[in-house]
């Protein structure tokens, strides 16, 4: 449903590659927002860019919440990618064979459905509003880990430990985007119901998120 969303834009990193299976405490952690829209879907995003110079590795972890414009179905989850700085000074996306998100309150394994893309990135999503809300609350809380494995690392995961939450403006922008998304999703589902089309299970979008940032 959702195409890979602009991934791995220009970054400024120098140095040696990170070893497989490492645990990294990144020195550069930056959050931003993006809203992506196509004929099929609209998506709200919290974009996390992390790096740890002098490592040449750059990681992008995108928290997404979106809906299908045809039936109002809501999805939430993440898109993750990694890239290495080449000798020519450009970035090359590397293939991810596995990925995960974990925090004190939520673990993506067993709760999100995974899909690998041809460009090497990976997406994990759910249509369950309770699971989606739990995941997004964990991201907003800001103490979590993102994990991924490269095919050449014998599936050994490397872990980036994130200890900072998105800023108030990033959270506010995301929630405002999601408010609009919920209205549009509900309208789409109402139109589908009026036309006699079957609604997704549960009727409305049902994605309600409390933004308690104290945890």
């Amino acid at each position: 449903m959702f195409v890979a969303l602009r991934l791995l834009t220009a970054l400024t990193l120098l140095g040696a590659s990170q070893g497989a299976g490492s645990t990294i405490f990144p020195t550069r952690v930056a959050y931003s927002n993006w809203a992506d829209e196509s004929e099929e879907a609209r998506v709200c995003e919290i974009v996390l860019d992390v790096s740890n110079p002098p490592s040449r590795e750059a990681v992008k972890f995108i928290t997404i919440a979106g809906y299908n414009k045809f039936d109002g179905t809501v999805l939430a989850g993440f898109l993750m990618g990694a890239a290495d700085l080449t000798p020519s000074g450009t970035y090359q996306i590397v293939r991810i064979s596995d990925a995960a998100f974990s925090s004190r309150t939520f673990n993506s394994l067993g709760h999100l459905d995974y899909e690998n893309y041809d460009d090497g990135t990976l997406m994990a999503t759910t249509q369950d509003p309770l699971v989606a809300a739990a995941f997004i609350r964990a991201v907003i809380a800001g103490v979590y880990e993102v994990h991924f494995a490269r095919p050449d690392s014998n599936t050994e995961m490397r872990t980036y430990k994130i200890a900072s939450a998105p800023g108030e403006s990033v959270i506010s922008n995301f929630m405002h985007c999601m408010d609009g998304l919920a209205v549009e999703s509900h309208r789409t589902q109402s139109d589908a119901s009026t036309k006699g089309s079957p609604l997704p299970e549960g009727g409305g979008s049902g994605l309600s998120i409390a933004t308690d940032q104290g945890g």
Side-chain angles (χ1 to χ4, degrees), residues 28-98:
R28 294 181 179 175
V29 177
Y31 288 99
S32 59
N33 292 110
W34 193 269
D36 202 36
E37 187 165 5
S38 68
E39 293 183 359
E40 297 84 14
R42 181 183 176 193
V43 179
C44 306
E45 304 175 9
I46 295 176
V47 182
L48 170 68
D49 288 289
V50 296
S51 59
N52 192 48
S55 169
R56 291 150 84 171
E57 182 175 81
V59 175
K60 189 178 287 285
F61 182 88
I62 304 177
T63 299
I64 61 174
Y67 85 102
N68 184 324
K69 291 183 177 180
F70 297 114
D71 61 9
T73 304
V74 172
L75 284 180
F78 66 82
L79 177 70
M80 188 170 182
D84 286 337
L85 185 66
T86 67
S88 64
T90 60
Y91 274 89
Q92 180 176 359
I93 295 178
V94 300
R95 182 165 298 278
I96 293 177
S97 59
D98 200 3

Side-chain angles (χ1 to χ4, degrees), residues 127-150:
Q127 294 186 32
D128 185 321
L130 295 179
V131 174
F135 166 66
I136 293 174
R137 282 197 298 266
V139 172
I140 290 173
V143 180
Y144 56 87
E145 298 176 351
V146 294
H147 318 265
F148 71 94
R150 303 188 186 208

Side-chain angles (χ1 to χ4, degrees), residues 4 93 95 115-121:
I93 295 178
R95 182 165 298 278
E115 180 178 2
N116 292 88
Y117 288 109
D118 292 339
D119 65 358
T121 62

Side-chain angles (χ1 to χ4, degrees), residues 20 71 89 95 105 152 168 188 199:
D71 61 9
R95 182 165 298 278
T105 60
D152 59 358
E168 290 185 9
T188 299
L199 285 173

